Amino acid sequence: MKEAILGISAYYHDSAAAIVEDGEIIAAAQEERFTRKKNDSSFPHNSIKSVLHIAGLTLSDLSAISFYEKPYIKFERLLETYHSFAPKGLKSYLQAMPVWIKEKLFMKKMIKDELGKILDSTVDNNKLLNKIPLLFPEHHLSHAASAYFPSPFRESAILTLDGVGEWATSTICYGKGNEIEIVKELEFPHSVGLLYSAFTYYCGFKVNDGEYKLMGLAPYGEQKSGQTKKFIDLIYSELVDVREDGSILLNMEYFDFATGLKMTNNKKWQKLFGVPARLPESNLTQQYANLAYSIQKVTESIIIKLTKTTKEITGLSNLAIAGGVALNSVANGLIYKSGLFDKIWIQPAAGDAGGALGAALAGYYIYLGNERTENVKSQFAIPDSRKDGMKASLLGPSYSNDEIRKFLYANNVIFQLIENDEQLFEKASSIIAEGKVLGWFRGRMEYGPRALGNRSILADARNPEMQLKLNMKIKYRESFRPFAPAVLEEETSNYFDIDIPSPYMLLVIPVKEKIRNPLQDYYDELGMMEKLYIKRSEIPAVTHLDYSARIQTVSKNDNPDFYGLISAFHKKTGCPVIINTSFNVRGEPIVCTPSDAYKCFMKTEMDCLILENFLIYKDEYL
């Protein structure tokens, strides 16, 4: 009899659900994609229904249900924190405690009640759910499991980095076979994730969502300016004590996240840096870019120190990484270039959404004691995939041509049907080569924050005007935001300084010298936004200010459709690189359904949309 585990993450941010069956990752999805509420923290009813449907299971088929953290320990941390900082934090305490006392302390009942809403009303819900073991692995164990078990490693060091779980904010773990041992951890409130989020907040971006904006803003910082050097010195001298092993101590006089309702003590920060907290949506000036650069550099230093310590403690040659900070792809690129480990693997759903998958995997391997599986072959497996167990992170729902046709007819949409895939790839590549912007919706939805070629907006990376066009007319977001290149795996080293696959868009890597354009003498005199329009390379739309790019390598085995499209573009233009950005607009989650994709297409200035084998032109509606 097969053993199936349902993993759940909920109630903080990025709720999700995942199914693991006999060690194989069958399906995983984030709740935001269904509710259309970005970073949705609610109980993932829709995600659970979706992953069960994909797996062909019902709740009664489950061997266990696994929640991604231990609520009692988290409650203990909250109480001890409020006590330690008293009388500060009274307002926050009065807001938080009623929710915990009425609901979260009774998480088992709460989860069963929510699952009961999914069950058929004719079923004795309590009787059924009481038969299924309900597991609560620790938050960072869930992260560690999400990193280690899907990795190609049978023994590895594991590094987890995020804001906070129960108490832990960072852990160093040892994984072997079906076991994970946490050997060292850093505890709240001292957190590299919360330090970075504090700067995200102070620079006017949303915490738990805008950290990637801060990372994208950092290269606009003036590296050699006196202000930037001063900012870095002040961070080290006043905000954080960084030890040689990468552990840190935050000066909590400057932070308000422990017991308050915001991240920073703004008055003290303004006095320290001489820069006021930026109001959301206000103009971005050079001083905020300098702050972003400064904290990025400090964060990179901390992460590299932690990586060295991980190597020293474990002595292993493989490293698996997860936790929200693992989405800092610039720091990941430095770990790769450091050579500290022979191989690294980063969980593509590294944040709390990935905790659902980690909880399921911890349940299967650690709680049930199953051995690691090899060479899984099922209807869900990707043929000949050799990298890991994540199936290119294409783990969400898909929609057939018949389902899409019904939607198009019901909404009177004018379309072309291109039944032959090779002809479709040829047509799509021509659209991109003509300078048009293409919405691309095919196959299973991605799990994690990155669009990896199934729910993507695609364009020509050679076009120097495309970054501005995509940001302002398609995504409706800040003009400084960079775009990622998708490149044929076998062509990667001709364009980027990397010799390994990077299928999950989690490494920022330098662009090859041979395709770079030299900067003019007057470059340093240009304003922050003026620098954006300098053509830096043969692929300017994906080359950031510092000649870097957050790359996605695309292999035929992992995603044959996306590979087929880029291959057709390569044959047509001689360039194996295109822009790949997520199919959404600012403030909305990545699209999930054909309806989501069509609505997004119609309210932006995208030129064309492909839904599986159906092609739709915008100009037919103008």
Side-chain angles (χ1 to χ4, degrees):
M1 181 179 175
K2 290 186 175 182
E3 290 183 304
I5 310 286
L6 170 67
I8 299 170
S9 64
Y11 302 127
Y12 184 41
H13 60 90
D14 296 305
S15 295
I19 288 283
V20 171
E21 187 173 30
D22 286 353
E24 182 184 4
I25 302 168
I26 302 298
Q30 290 152 258
E31 189 68 4
E32 66 165 20
R33 308 292 167 83
F34 303 95
T35 63
R36 311 309 302 155
K37 179 182 177 183
K38 196 167 186 183
N39 307 122
D40 194 348
S41 62
S42 64
F43 190 83
H45 296 102
N46 299 285
S47 300
I48 292 170
K49 290 177 184 176
S50 177
V51 298
L52 287 171
H53 176 74
I54 292 168
L57 300 172
T58 66
L59 287 172
S60 60
D61 297 317
L62 298 175
S63 303
I65 297 167
S66 189
F67 189 74
Y68 80 131
E69 61 184 9
K70 291 184 179 294
Y72 282 136
I73 300 178
K74 194 167 188 177
F75 183 65
E76 173 192 78
R77 188 252 298 170
L78 289 173
L79 287 179
E80 288 196 23
T81 300
Y82 284 124
H83 180 264
S84 298
F85 285 88
K88 287 180 61 179
L90 179 61
K91 187 176 180 180
S92 174
Y93 175 84
L94 292 174
Q95 285 189 10
M97 286 305 104
V99 177
W100 275 92
I101 293 169
K102 290 180 181 179
E103 298 177 2
K104 293 185 179 181
L105 279 180
F106 307 98
M107 189 65 76
K108 281 189 176 183
K109 182 181 185 303
M110 196 171 169
I111 291 172
K112 288 180 180 180
D113 287 346
E114 296 297 338
L115 289 170
K117 297 174 183 178
I118 296 171
L119 289 165
D120 189 310
S121 59
T122 61
V123 176
D124 185 341
N125 296 346
N126 288 330
K127 186 176 181 181
L128 171 60
L129 292 171
N130 285 336
K131 288 182 179 179
I132 305 173
L134 189 52
L135 314 177
F136 292 90
E138 290 186 7
H139 184 100
H140 274 263
L141 179 60
S142 293
H143 277 320
S146 79
Y148 171 60
F149 290 122
S151 78
F153 312 137
R154 292 300 175 264
E155 183 177 24
S156 83
I158 310 164
L159 179 62
T160 69
L161 303 159
D162 70 359
V164 62
E166 294 88 0
W167 276 105
T169 63
S170 304
T171 67
I172 295 171
C173 310
Y174 171 70
K176 183 175 183 180
N178 64 352
E179 297 179 349
I180 293 175
E181 178 188 359
I182 298 176
V183 294
K184 193 169 182 129
E185 65 180 42
L186 183 66
E187 291 191 345
F188 182 85
H190 309 295
S191 164
V192 64
L194 291 173
L195 173 65
Y196 201 83
S197 290
F199 278 83
T200 300
Y201 171 86
Y202 200 75
C203 288
F205 304 121
K206 187 178 178 181
V207 173
N208 294 325
D209 179 56
E211 283 78 5
Y212 57 93
K213 297 181 184 181
L214 193 72
M215 184 177 65
L217 181 62
Y220 291 87
E222 296 171 331
Q223 302 177 22
K224 298 178 182 179
S225 77
Q227 186 183 59
T228 301
K229 292 176 181 177
K230 177 184 175 184
F231 286 166
I232 292 174
D233 289 343
L234 287 171
I235 292 170
Y236 279 121
S237 64
E238 300 297 328
L239 295 188
V240 58
D241 179 10
V242 181
R243 308 297 174 84
E244 196 54 38
D245 64 356
S247 61
I248 64 172
L249 289 172
L250 298 183
N251 182 350
M252 295 307 296
E253 291 183 8
Y254 286 92
F255 298 93
D256 199 35
F257 59 75
T259 56
L261 301 175
K262 57 185 191 298
M263 293 298 297
T264 59
N265 184 320
N266 289 353
K267 288 183 179 179
K268 289 196 172 185
W269 278 52
Q270 183 168 347
K271 184 177 180 181
L272 180 67
F273 293 114
V275 176
R278 176 178 169 262
L279 295 174
E281 309 304 324
S282 64
N283 289 335
L284 270 168
T285 55
Q286 188 63 55
Q287 54 195 358
Y288 296 106
N290 292 345
L291 273 175
Y293 176 84
S294 300
I295 189 56
Q296 178 64 33
K297 290 302 163 186
V298 171
T299 300
E300 290 167 10
S301 174
I302 293 169
I303 291 173
I304 291 298
K305 288 178 184 291
L306 283 169
T307 306
K308 289 178 180 177
T309 301
T310 303
K311 177 69 175 182
E312 290 168 3
I313 289 174
T314 65
L316 298 175
S317 58
N318 300 323
L319 175 66
I321 314 173
V325 179
L327 295 172
N328 192 308
S329 46
V330 177
N332 294 339
L334 294 177
I335 294 174
Y336 160 71
K337 286 189 287 185
S338 74
L340 286 165
F341 288 85
D342 294 343
K343 295 179 181 179
I344 64 171
W345 190 86
I346 306 161
Q347 167 55 242
D352 275 14
L357 176 60
L361 290 164
Y364 182 78
Y365 288 113
I366 298 172
Y367 173 75
L368 295 178
N370 291 298
E371 296 299 318
R372 293 287 294 275
T373 53
E374 300 278 356
N375 302 319
V376 171
K377 294 189 180 299
S378 76
Q379 60 174 318
F380 301 102
I382 295 177
D384 303 320
S385 181
R386 68 201 186 287
K387 296 185 183 74
D388 55 47
M390 283 298 292
K391 302 177 182 176
S393 212
L394 305 176
L395 296 167
S398 61
Y399 298 84
S400 68
N401 277 324
D402 285 343
E403 289 174 302
I404 294 170
R405 183 186 284 107
K406 289 177 183 177
F407 165 77
L408 297 175
Y409 279 140
N411 290 274
N412 298 312
V413 179
I414 302 168
F415 63 82
Q416 294 179 23
L417 174 62
I418 305 176
E419 296 190 41
N420 181 279
D421 283 349
E422 295 302 319
Q423 292 176 6
L424 181 74
F425 302 152
E426 175 67 22
K427 185 64 178 177
S429 66
S430 295
I431 290 169
I432 296 170
E434 290 165 5
K436 294 183 172 68
V437 178
L438 174 66
W440 179 257
F441 181 105
R442 282 176 69 88
R444 295 181 68 179
M445 182 176 69
E446 298 90 340
Y447 179 53
R450 313 293 186 214
L452 299 171
N454 285 19
R455 302 289 186 274
S456 292
I457 297 172
L458 309 175
D460 192 344
R462 302 170 302 162
N463 187 332
E465 299 175 359
M466 194 55 73
Q467 179 182 4
L468 183 62
K469 179 179 178 180
L470 286 172
N471 272 327
M472 304 306 290
K473 296 186 176 183
I474 311 296
K475 304 282 281 187
Y476 302 127
R477 68 185 196 182
E478 301 91 344
S479 60
F480 73 85
R481 299 270 295 280
F483 287 99
V487 56
L488 297 178
E489 185 176 283
E490 63 271 21
E491 295 287 336
T492 305
S493 60
N494 291 324
Y495 285 79
F496 306 99
D497 282 331
I498 190 171
D499 57 6
I500 61 170
S502 178
Y504 299 124
M505 217 181 276
L506 285 169
L507 296 176
V508 168
I509 296 296
V511 171
K512 281 280 191 181
E513 290 277 356
K514 67 180 182 181
I515 68 165
R516 296 184 186 185
N517 296 329
L519 297 176
Q520 301 299 320
D521 293 338
Y522 58 81
Y523 178 79
D524 288 338
E525 299 173 12
L526 296 174
M528 186 174 136
M529 289 298 109
E530 290 175 307
K531 292 177 180 178
L532 177 63
Y533 307 117
I534 300 297
K535 186 178 178 181
R536 286 175 175 72
S537 75
E538 294 176 14
I539 45 174
V542 294
T543 303
H544 208 14
L545 264 69
D546 55 359
Y547 286 109
S548 69
R550 178 165 54 86
I551 71 167
Q552 177 197 3
T553 59
V554 182
S555 77
K556 188 173 184 178
N557 288 333
D558 285 349
N559 195 335
D561 286 358
F562 196 36
Y563 181 91
L565 165 59
I566 302 175
S567 293
F569 183 82
H570 185 206
K571 290 175 185 176
K572 190 179 301 295
T573 65
C575 178
V577 183
I578 64 172
I579 298 171
N580 175 18
T581 187
S582 56
F583 200 150
N584 65 324
V585 295
R586 185 183 185 189
E588 293 186 3
I590 296 173
V591 300
C592 175
T593 67
S595 175
D596 298 334
Y598 181 71
K599 288 176 183 176
C600 184
F601 168 67
M602 291 302 292
K603 69 182 181 183
T604 68
E605 295 184 41
M606 260 182 277
D607 300 291
C608 303
L609 171 63
I610 287 177
L611 299 171
E612 290 296 337
N613 288 78
F614 297 93
L615 171 61
I616 303 164
Y617 285 94
K618 177 67 66 62
D619 57 17
E620 293 182 343
Y621 295 87
L622 301 179

